[in-house]
Amino acid sequence: MSDTNSPGQPDSGNSGELSWPEYLTGGESRGAVPPGAQAAEPEGHAAPHRVIGTPPPAVARKLLAADGGGISRETVRELPAEPDDPRRAKRVEKLVAACFLVAGLAGLAFMVFYGTIGVGSITNVLHSNLALGGSMALMFLLLGIGTVLWVRHLMPTVELAEDRHPMAATPQERAAFKETFQEGAEASQFVKRPIIRRSLIAATIPMAVAPIFLLRDMGPLPGTSLDTTVWRKGLRLLVYGTGRPISAAEFNSPGALISVGPEGYLDNDNAMAKAAVSLIKFRPGELVYGPPARPGGPSVRDKVVPNWTVDNIVAYSKICTHLGCPAALYEQTTHRILCPCHQSTFLATEGAKVIFGPATRPLPQLPIGVDSEGYLIATGPFNEPVGPSFWERS
Amino acid sequence: MSVERALEGVGTFLDDRLHGARGVRVLLRKVFPDHWSFLLGEIILYSFIILLLTGTFLTLWFQPSMTDVIYHGSYIPLRGVRMSEAYASTLNISFDVRGGLLMREIHHWAADLFMAAIMAHMIRVFFTGAYRKPREINWLIGIVLFTLGMFEGLFGYSLPDDLLSGAGLRITEGILQSLPIVGTYLAFFLFGGPFPGHEIIPRLYILHVLVIPGLILALVTVHLFLMFHQKHTQMPGKGRTNTNVVGSPMYPYFMAKTGAFFFFTFAALALAATFAQINPIWLYGPYNPVAMSAGSQPDFYMGALEGSLRMFPAWQWVMFGHTWAFNVFVPALLPLGIIFGGAAIWPFLEQWITGDRSEHHLNDRPRNAPTRTALGIAMITFYGVLWAEGANDIIANHLDISLYLTTWIARVAWLVAPILAYIITKRICLGLQRKDRHLLEHGVETGIIRQLPGGEFIEETRPVDEEALAVLTSRSELPPLPSLEAAEGEVPPPGMRGALGKVRERLYNVVTESVPLPESHGNGHGNGHALEAVGADEHGQGSLPAGTGTEQRGGQDQH
Ligand code: HEM
Ligand code: FES
C-alpha cells in the first residue's frame, strides 16, 4: 500500500507513546507541538496547541503568551467567559427565558389536553390531534428557538482551529503492528500447521451453511400451485361484496363491470388473490371473436373465445399479468381495462390483449356458462396460469 | 456552589473508575466546523431517534397478526367489516388511543424525513467531494443505510395491512416471483406459501422493529464514530486548510446547537403530523385482493422503483422452457443498481483515474470539480425521471395530457435527460470558474465610475478580501498523470500502457477539465496566502499533501 501521507510526518518522534484512539487518551495535540517543546513536559500534560482563527483580542493575547512562554495549561483560556455584546446579551437573556417558560407551559398544556380531550370518535380524535400536536410542536419549537438565541447572543463568539494528522500510522507504528501480528500468528502455529488450518476451514463451511437449512420451513415449495386457481367446472360466480349468484338476465346493462369470485371462496384471501374475476357485459357486435377453443388447448391470444361467453358476457381474470394488482379500472367507451399499479392496459373486446404498459400477456379468460337455475357458472378452470410471470411458467 | 461540588463528586467517582478526565476533556474541546449543509446529517440522526421513540410507542398497541376479526371499534364506517388484526389494531391506535394518531403520523412523517435527509446528505457529500479519502468507508456505509432505510420504510408501511400497502406487498411478491431460477421459491418462503398467506405481517414486523433498526443503529454508530475519529471536513475559507479543522468546540457550542436542532426536527415533525395528514388508512379500507383504487402511490422514496416498473417496455420471452420476465426484474434491479452501484464505486474509480491517493479534508466547491458535479446532476436527473414517472398518472391528470404520453416522455427522458444535464452542468461549472478567475484577476466592482485623464470612463475595482480569496483560490490540485509527464519518446510507466492506460488518460483529461487559476494564485497557493494573512503557524503544512500542489507532486512519485 503506497501512500502519499508518509512524507514529512512531524509526529513520528513521539506518537508511538500514545495509545489509540487519541481523543480517549488525551493526545489531541500530538505532532502539533515542536518535539523539543514537548520533550520537556511530562506526557499528557502538554500545553494544548490551538490556532485561533478570529479570536477576541484578549484571548488571542493570552494564547500567544501561552504558546510562546510555555505557561502551564491552567492559565490558558481558550473560550472567553463574557458575551461579545453584554448589553445585547442582557436583552436576549430575557427573551430566552421567556421562550423556555412558554415551552414549559406548552408541555403542561399537552398533559392537560391529554387528560381532558377524549378520543373514540372522529371529531374527538381530530380535536385531540390538534391540541396534542399543536402544544407539542410549540414546546419543541420554543425550546429550539430559545437555545439558538442563547448560543448566538449569549455565548461569546469563538473560532478554534485544531490540527489534523494523517490517518495513516507512521511507518514505525505499522512495522510494530506487523511484528505483533506476525508474532501472534506464529505463536498460534496456524501458519506452520496446515492440517489445523485446513481442517478448521473445512469445519466452518458446514457451520455457515447449516443455518440456511433452518430457513427451509419458512414456506412450502411452490410445486405447481401457481398454475391453477380454485375455479372448476360448475362453480357459481358470486358477486364480490354481496355474495349473491348472478344470472345473465340480471347482468344486462352493457358496459358494466363487476367483480366476482368462486362460490365458497369469497372470504378466502389466498384463493381470491388468484381467482378474482371481472365480469363484463357488451353490446352485441362489440366483441371480436376468434376461432372456438379446443377443449384443453391453449387460449387464443388477442381474440375473445366465443364458446366461453354467455350472451355477450365475458369473464377475465382480475389479476394483472404484470405484478398481480387487481386490474380494476374500466373505461366503458374504449373498452379498456386499466391496472392502476403500472398502467398496463388491456383491450376487453379483443381477449384482453395488452395495448399499453409493462404487462406482456392478456388477462386469461374464464370459460362461463349457465346452470339449470340460470345463474352464471364456470364451465372449467382457467386454461393457463393467472397473474404475474414466474420462472416455471412456460 | 453546591452544584459545582456535586458535579465534582460525580466527576471524581467516574474518573476514579474510568480514567475519563483526560480523554473527555479533549472531547469537550473537539472542534466542529460550521456550515448549513452539515446539518443534513443531523436531521437523519434525529429523525431516526424520533422513529425509535414513536415506533416503540406504536408497538404497545399494534398487533402484527393476520387473523381475521370483525371490527367493532370507534370508527363507525368500518364497523362490522372483516379485516386483519393488524389493520384493526392500527384503527385502534388511530381512534381509541390518546395521542395514537399523532404518534402514527409523526412516525410516518419521520420516516419520510429520514429518507429525504439521507438523500440530501448524500448529495451534499458527493458534490463537495467529502467522500474522498479517507472517508470512503463512511460513504459506503451511507449507501447501505439508504438501502436499509428503503426496506425499513416499505416494511413499515406494509404493517397496517390496508388496501394501499397490500398492493405494495403484492407487487413485492410479483417482483420476487419474476427473478430467474430462485424467484418462485423466494416468494413462497417469504410469504409462507401463496400470497397473501398469514405469515407476512408478523415476519415484516420483526424485521421492521428489531432486525433492520438494529442494523441501522449499528451502522449509524460506526458512521458517527468514523466521522468523529477522522474529524469533520470543512468548507474552504480563511484560515482553513487541509491540515486543520476550524470551528467551535463541542462543549458548549456544538452541544447546544445540535440540541436546538433536535428540537426543531421534532417540532417540524409534530407540526406536519398535526396539520398534514399522512396515510389515513381508514379511508383506504382493509386489504383485499380484489379492490384497488386509482392514483395509489407508494411513499416517495419508493417512487423511483415504481416509475421504473411503469416505464419499462413489455419484454418477456420464454427461453429454454422458462419464462424470463425482463419486464419486471430488469426495471426492479437495474436503475437502482446503477445509482447505488455507481455511487459505491465512484470514489475508487475517481482515485484510479486521477491517481490521487492523498487525504482530503477541505471540501471542494462543486464548481471546482465540474465533471464530478455534472455526473452527480446527471444521476439525480436519472433518478428524478424515474421518480416523476412513478407519479405519471397524477402528472397526466394535473397537466391534462395522456397517460401514455407521460410514459413515452419518460422512456426517452430516461436516456436523454441525464446526458443533457451532464453537458449543461459542466458548462455552468466552467462558467462559474471563469467568473471566479475574473474576480481574482480584476477584483470586485465597486460601482464607482471614474473618468481617466484621456476622457475614458472606467469602473473602479478593489481586490477581493481575504475570506473571498481563500474561497476563490481553493482547489484540490490533482497529480499529473505519469504518462503526461513523461517526455516525448519515453516509455510510459507501467499502469499507463496498453488499452487500459489509454482509457485512463482519456478519463483523466475529462475529470480534470477546469479553468486554471490566474498565474499569481496557481497551484493552491491561495491557501498559503490565507494562512499567512491570519498568522497561523506553517508547522502543520505539508504533513497532509492534498491541496498544496507542489508537495503533493513529490509524494505522488511513490506509486
Ligand atoms: C428508520 C427507521 C424506520 C422507518 C423508516 C419506519 C417507517 C415506518 C412506516 C412508514 C410505518 C407506517 C406508519 C403508518 O401507519 O402510517 C411504520 C409503522 C410502524 N413502525 Fe416504523 N419505521 C422505522 C423504525 C421503527 C422502529 C425502530 C420501531 C419500533 C421499535 C417501529 C415500529 C413500527 C410499528 C409498530 C408500526 C406499525 C404501527 C402503525 O402502522 O400504526 N418503526 N414504520
Ligand atoms: S401490476 Fe398491473 S400494471 Fe403492474
Side-chain angles (χ1 to χ4, degrees), chain B residues 121-139:
Chain B
H121 177 64
M122 250 180 110
I123 288 171
R124 188 291 279 179
V125 168
F126 185 81
F127 285 123
T128 58
Y131 59 80
R132 288 173 298 175
K133 189 179 172 185
R135 295 183 179 75
E136 304 97 322
I137 301 172
N138 251 358
W139 173 250

Side-chain angles (χ1 to χ4, degrees), chain B residues 170-194:
Chain B
R170 182 92 216 217
I171 293 169
T172 310
E173 190 232 6
I175 292 174
L176 280 179
Q177 268 187 18
S178 77
L179 297 174
I181 306 174
V182 292
T184 320
Y185 292 88
L186 283 184
F188 266 63
F189 286 172
L190 178 65
F191 285 82

Side-chain angles (χ1 to χ4, degrees), chain B residues 48 51-52 55-56 58-59 62 90 104 107-108 111 114 152-153 156-157 159-160 205 208-209 213 216 279:
Chain B
F48 181 59
L51 282 163
L52 289 177
T56 306
L58 293 175
T59 61
F62 181 71
T90 311
R104 259 197 68 226
H107 193 73
H108 205 126
F114 178 77
E152 176 73 353
Y157 73 68
L159 290 180
Y205 182 68
H208 183 77
V209 304
I216 292 180
N279 207 17

